[in-house]
Amino acid sequence: MKENGTENDVLIRCKGLTLGYETGVVLTDVNFDVHAGDYVCIVGENGSGKSTLIKALLGLLPPRSGEIAFSGVSAREIGYLPQQTALQKDFPASVYEVVLSGCANSLGRTPFYGKAQHARAAENLARLGIADLAKTSYRTLSGGQQQRVLLARALCATTKLLLLDEPVAALDPIATNDLYALIRRLNREEGITILMVSHDISCALHDATHVLQLSDRGVVFFGTAAAYRKSPIGARFLRCACAADYPRIQFGVWEEE
Amino acid sequence: MLSLLREIFSYSFLVRALIVGSLVALCAALLGVSLVLKRYSMIGDGLSHVGFGALSIAMAMNAAPLAVAIPVVILAAFLLLRISQNSRLGGDSAIALIASASLAAGVLVTSLTSGLNADVYSYMFGSILAMSAEDVYLSLALAAVVLLLFVVFYNRIFAITFDESFARATGTRVSRYNLLIALLTALTIVIGMRIMGTMLISGLIIFPALTAMRVCRSFRGVVLTSAIISVFSFLAGMVLSYVMRTPAGASIVVVNALLFCLFALIGKLAKR
């Protein structure tokens, strides 16, 4: 299924994966490889098992059968960007505190953050262009800025792999484009592997190298973005999605950079 | 003022109440920040009602009140946490159910045995006479444990309070820390409720955190400010209660409420 890349740079390999809860099976026979440097867009309707797959990738839901093999990265070292909760929106915390909390997975048995972790937080603040916000309160930021902060936190937890769950769900078009541009830069210039769950198919068209489509309890498509565009499944899904996105194409929002 | 303080310190039962109370206020404030931010404020209220039920039953059976109340309330804390995390009943209504049921059980048992006497009244609204030397040691130990754990796990507590799913994903054992917070909250409530009263102890947990959140921008700021506010309100409330001859619990909560209004006003003005 995989066109480019070699066996050596496989980061995640899902083989014969079946996932489910006590109430029943959600996904069966999921097979795909993620290579270093890929930008994988996971799409599918509501209830198609996207969140279940995320839980399994994060190691929070043990597979019923099959396996998820990581090489060069562990489930703990995934930079995860969860969907924002209502509770967070007015949380009294400084931007720096939030970003630093991304280093929690490297704390081990020590209770406090050391110099290396503080340096890392500062570096990631600068990397995402929010160093000047470090002392600002998280709750006073705009939605786009909040996502940047959470992305900086995710980068503190990882050096290789970001897992983004609907990162643009609550953003306006301009902030959406900013965030996509940022993710693209992290992927192309810094070689960070991206796994992104999205309702917004435009990312699949524009930035992704690969598309994973879930439906009816399984994977209905996995392959390169180019192949996806040509496939009947992709063409049908894109047609619906593009109808919804029409105004944005119209006004050239996609033509940035 | 000085002579007033000297007068207060000349009563050994008042000194005991001051020591126990300020330590409990400190613990309640620290735990309260996390509870309030995680939307678990009602757990404090629920636990105090369970505590009332347990204390009344212990009294009816002539058992040592704390020996009965502490395990029962800890058990209830674990149960309430479970319920509010994953229940079809809905966390808030489940807590209300358990709270009123244990309150009712306590009242029934007491009225069937000794009758609703002064002891029950003091459990409801608190009494500074209730503190023994044993309570002083217990609260010292509790405060030491809460402070130590809070400092040691501060960064993890922040992580799970701010974002459970991220913390879980990066390998923090979230449910373990939630249990720890519930356990410490249960202990704080059992020890504190005899000064503050069943009806008012939850104010000690909720008010300082909410007051601090009006003006503070960082988590650390909220934690430190709420600790200071809580101890200050307790001491000011005690002085007020001594001078005005009012019940301690109510006086302390009134000071807390006034401070909340003041901080809310400052917060509003600072935003402009």
Side-chain angles (χ1 to χ4, degrees):
Chain A
M1 275 212 220
K2 177 76 196 164
E3 270 86 338
N4 54 348
T6 58
E7 281 298 299
N8 301 333
D9 59 2
V10 175
L11 270 187
I12 305 173
R13 166 162 289 168
C14 292
K15 228 164 115 185
L17 204 59
T18 300
L19 301 171
Y21 307 94
E22 296 98 60
T23 46
V25 172
V26 179
L27 286 170
T28 48
D29 198 29
V30 177
N31 294 291
F32 66 92
D33 287 355
V34 178
H35 293 72
D38 281 359
Y39 187 139
V40 182
C41 201
I42 304 171
V43 296
E45 305 99 76
N46 285 335
S48 58
K50 294 181 303 232
S51 332
T52 309
L53 182 60
I54 289 184
K55 272 190 200 153
L57 287 170
L58 292 170
L60 303 177
L61 179 73
R64 287 197 166 186
S65 63
E67 59 160 359
I68 306 175
F70 290 94
S71 56
V73 65
S74 78
R76 274 187 176 209
E77 290 165 344
I78 296 177
Y80 178 43
L81 184 71
Q83 292 186 36
Q84 274 208 61
T85 59
L87 186 152
Q88 275 167 14
K89 295 222 164 76
D90 60 359
F91 197 97
S94 71
V95 166
Y96 188 76
E97 284 176 318
V98 174
V99 174
L100 188 63
S101 75
C103 297
N105 62 348
S106 58
L107 275 176
R109 288 190 180 277
T110 53
F112 305 112
Y113 295 116
K115 265 187 190 154
Q117 283 137 338
H118 281 284
R120 189 149 186 191
E123 179 199 320
N124 282 316
L125 279 168
R127 199 169 173 188
L128 297 193
I130 46 174
D132 54 326
L133 295 178
K135 288 200 171 121
T136 317
S137 189
Y138 179 79
R139 59 182 167 185
T140 61
L141 303 180
S142 70
Q145 285 171 323
Q146 289 187 340
Q147 283 299 65
R148 263 177 197 248
V149 173
L150 296 185
L151 197 55
R153 177 185 65 167
L155 286 169
C156 282
T158 191
T159 51
K160 290 176 186 156
L161 177 64
L162 283 175
L163 176 54
L164 315 171
D165 189 358
E166 307 263 4
V168 298
L171 302 185
D172 61 56
I174 294 171
T176 298
N177 273 292
D178 279 352
L179 195 67
Y180 278 151
L182 193 62
I183 297 168
R184 189 186 318 135
R185 199 188 82 208
L186 291 170
N187 176 245
R188 293 192 189 158
E189 290 169 24
E190 310 201 16
I192 292 174
T193 310
I194 309 283
L195 275 173
M196 175 154 78
V197 168
S198 185
H199 270 307
D200 181 8
I201 194 74
S202 65
C203 75
L205 266 179
H206 201 279
D207 293 330
T209 59
H210 293 75
V211 176
L212 175 71
Q213 186 172 351
L214 301 175
S215 181
D216 295 329
R217 299 189 170 180
V219 175
V220 290
F221 183 89
F222 179 67
T224 62
Y228 184 68
R229 244 166 283 175
K230 287 179 202 142
S231 72
I233 294 171
R236 198 172 64 236
F237 207 71
L238 285 175
R239 215 167 29 240
C240 308
C242 283
D245 267 329
Y246 185 69
R248 287 173 50 202
I249 304 169
Q250 185 84 9
F251 294 118
V253 184
W254 284 1
E255 304 308 318
E256 85 280 45
E257 293 201 344
Chain B
M1 188 69 199
L2 250 172
S3 65
L4 176 71
L5 288 181
R6 199 171 296 141
E7 201 180 316
I8 291 177
F9 278 108
S10 68
Y11 296 102
S12 63
F13 72 92
L14 268 180
V15 174
R16 281 203 296 271
L18 282 174
I19 296 173
V20 175
S22 358
L23 292 174
V24 166
L26 182 64
C27 297
L30 295 180
L31 296 165
V33 172
S34 192
L35 291 173
V36 165
L37 286 169
K38 287 161 82 83
R39 305 290 188 269
Y40 288 163
S41 312
M42 286 309 289
I43 283 185
D45 209 39
L47 288 182
S48 62
H49 287 73
V50 173
F52 174 81
L55 285 179
S56 315
I57 291 169
M59 205 160 59
M61 297 189 322
N62 277 328
L66 285 186
V68 176
I70 288 177
V72 170
V73 176
I74 287 175
L75 214 67
F78 290 170
L79 188 72
L80 287 182
L81 193 70
R82 253 247 142 88
I83 290 172
S84 36
Q85 276 167 349
N86 44 16
S87 159
R88 298 193 184 142
L89 204 56
D92 53 344
S93 39
I95 292 175
L97 275 185
I98 294 177
S100 57
S102 25
L103 194 60
V107 171
L108 265 190
V109 168
T110 332
S111 68
L112 286 176
T113 52
S114 55
L116 291 172
N117 53 18
D119 286 342
V120 178
Y121 180 83
S122 81
Y123 284 158
M124 281 291 214
F125 298 105
S127 160
I128 46 166
L129 298 171
M131 294 299 106
S132 65
E134 187 186 293
D135 292 315
V136 176
Y137 297 128
L138 195 61
S139 62
L140 273 173
L142 168 80
V145 170
V146 171
L147 275 178
L148 185 74
L149 289 176
F150 200 86
V151 171
V152 168
F153 294 123
Y154 173 81
N155 289 312
R156 273 127 177 150
I157 289 173
F158 172 79
I160 62 162
T161 308
F162 181 71
D163 193 341
E164 270 195 19
S165 29
F166 180 84
R168 199 172 276 135
T170 46
T172 305
R173 305 230 168 116
V174 172
S175 44
R176 194 184 280 183
Y177 290 104
N178 278 337
L179 278 184
L180 181 70
I181 291 175
L183 174 79
L184 296 175
T185 307
L187 282 173
T188 306
I189 283 174
V190 176
I191 296 172
M193 66 180 281
R194 286 169 311 138
I195 300 181
M196 296 294 295
T198 304
M199 312 304 281
L200 296 168
I201 178 72
S202 59
L204 210 57
I205 290 182
I206 300 166
F207 264 120
L210 281 174
T211 305
M213 280 164 64
R214 296 308 103 195
V215 292
C216 295
R217 295 163 165 272
S218 68
F219 188 72
R220 179 182 296 226
V222 170
V223 167
L224 294 176
T225 312
S226 69
I228 294 167
I229 288 172
S230 184
V231 175
F232 171 80
S233 310
F234 175 80
L235 296 175
M238 285 293 276
V239 172
L240 184 73
S241 122
Y242 182 80
V243 174
M244 311 269 295
R245 301 185 181 282
T246 47
S251 319
I252 291 158
V253 172
V254 164
V255 174
N256 264 307
L258 289 175
L259 275 181
F260 176 83
C261 296
L262 179 69
F263 274 60
L265 193 70
I266 294 172
K268 277 255 157 45
L269 291 177
K271 243 181 211 162
R272 288 220 183 125

